[in-house]
Amino acid sequence: MPRDSADQLNSLGFAKPPAETRVVVAMSGGVDSSVVAAQLAEEGYDVVGVTLQLYDHGAALAKKGACCAGRDIHDARRVAEAMGFPHYVLDYENVFRDAVIDEFADSYLAGATPVPCIRCNERVKFRDLLETAKDLEADCMATGHYIQRRMGPAGPELHRAADPARDQSYFLFSTTPEQLEYLRFPLGHLPDKAATRGLAAKYGLPVADKPDSQDICFVPQGNYASVIEKLRPGAAEPGEIVHADGRVLGAHEGVIHYTIGQRRGLGIGGLAEPLYVVRLDVEARQVIVGPKEMLATRTVPVREVNWLGDAPLTSKPEWHVAVKLRSTRPPREAILRPVSETEAEVELLTPEEGVSPGQACVVYETGSSSRVLGGGWIWHGR
């Protein structure tokens, strides 16, 4: 919508009163999305809360306090009742299993380190749920993600959150320009999580002191291997732990128990040098270990690139950018060289350790800019 003058637009960017603006809020039951819903309801918007049941919270995969488990659905409903707006629970178990959990299991079995939260945003929340919001005749959909949507000369742009410690841009790189037109992220400008909890207390929300979820929602205590074994019985086949120079150092109970860069828990003590997992050979059922310097990666091929820059990805032979290869690491300077509209090669100016297939490579503008230019999936490094 064109911005004729700031006073014509409400806080969500529409030229009409909040009461005439319907917004679907994706409510996980946590404090972040609850604050978004409460704030928009207090501002007078026509709020509709929607919570997704993503898996059977009575099954073995569930864990106490997990996102979208039974308690969280109850908490989201309580917030909606307290603030006086309608709330719906949608059964997305089959969609979630097909679009997220099955790929997570297969990627892990193939020796990758997948990030299912990104696929969930891409394939469930920002695709199917977004379409449901449109079916409900909502003007937009709001979430509790810590990221900013700003209007630029070419349309909406994606920017990192104001609080670097809470920024979730790594998990949202695959958001398309079309989705960005429809999405709103009301928390992205807040200085820290304390500000969010302060708003929750201000609105008297029952979840104001609820702790943050730490793990992937369907992975209890971060134990990926146990989940894979439930999803793919017999997947943990034993094999050898092999030094990069060819020496057999020991045995393992399944490649799925190891990740690139792992040092602890290898079961090969008594060696003079510390060794790290440098490669997983799934077909040979081998865990390849070596010295730390073997983890250093300079060239990172990426595919399934989602590009959010104003100019097409292939409009330049190379882009000087910053990239983030893991959610917990800061962006590093790099050169991005397009191979096609959906594939590229990233050259890190400073080699990085522990780059793993299955992780995301998220691209940012350099310097003081907070803009997210998109990203892709790492499929091997060298």
Side-chain angles (χ1 to χ4, degrees), residues 88-219:
Y88 301 97
V89 179
L90 303 181
D91 182 355
Y92 272 46
E93 285 186 34
N94 291 338
V95 172
F96 187 66
R97 188 176 192 97
D98 292 345
V100 180
I101 294 183
D102 283 344
E103 184 188 86
F104 169 82
D106 293 339
S107 296
Y108 220 87
L109 289 176
T113 308
V115 191
C117 300
I118 298 176
R119 290 301 197 194
C120 182
N121 289 326
E122 173 189 336
R123 297 175 173 176
V124 180
K125 294 176 182 174
F126 291 176
R127 186 180 69 186
D128 293 354
L129 178 55
L130 192 145
E131 289 304 315
T132 298
K134 290 181 178 179
D135 290 342
L136 292 171
E137 300 183 344
D139 294 284
C140 63
M141 186 174 90
T143 79
H145 289 107
Y146 287 88
I147 195 166
Q148 298 188 76
R149 175 191 184 274
R150 297 179 182 172
M151 290 304 297
E157 300 174 351
L158 205 60
H159 287 255
R160 281 178 282 180
D163 178 10
R166 305 296 305 179
D167 174 58
Q168 292 178 293
S169 59
Y170 184 85
F171 300 100
L172 297 168
F173 81 85
S174 61
T175 306
T176 67
E178 294 75 24
Q179 292 167 342
L180 198 52
E181 285 279 356
Y182 195 71
L183 290 164
R184 300 294 188 273
F185 308 106
L187 301 184
H189 69 288
L190 295 181
D192 52 34
K193 184 60 179 265
T196 307
R197 292 197 180 277
L199 288 171
K202 170 189 171 185
Y203 300 131
L205 301 183
V207 296
D209 297 321
K210 186 174 181 177
D212 292 341
S213 178
Q214 300 296 326
D215 301 318
I216 294 171
C217 65
F218 59 91
V219 181

Side-chain angles (χ1 to χ4, degrees), residues 72 116 175 177 225 228-229 244 267:
D72 294 323
T175 306
I228 301 301
E229 287 176 307

Side-chain angles (χ1 to χ4, degrees), residues 242-244 273-278 288-295:
V242 182
H243 195 283
E273 60 174 344
L275 296 175
Y276 300 77
V277 176
V278 298
I288 316 299
V289 298
K292 189 175 184 180
E293 54 264 27
M294 289 191 68
L295 288 171

Side-chain angles (χ1 to χ4, degrees), residues 300-317:
V300 183
V302 293
R303 56 187 175 185
E304 292 184 61
V305 173
N306 178 59
W307 189 246
L308 295 171
D310 295 341
L313 174 63
T314 53
S315 64
K316 294 163 61 172

Side-chain angles (χ1 to χ4, degrees), residues 243 247 249 263 268-275:
H243 195 283
R247 288 178 290 151
L249 303 179
R263 178 185 174 187
I268 50 172
L271 298 171
E273 60 174 344
L275 296 175

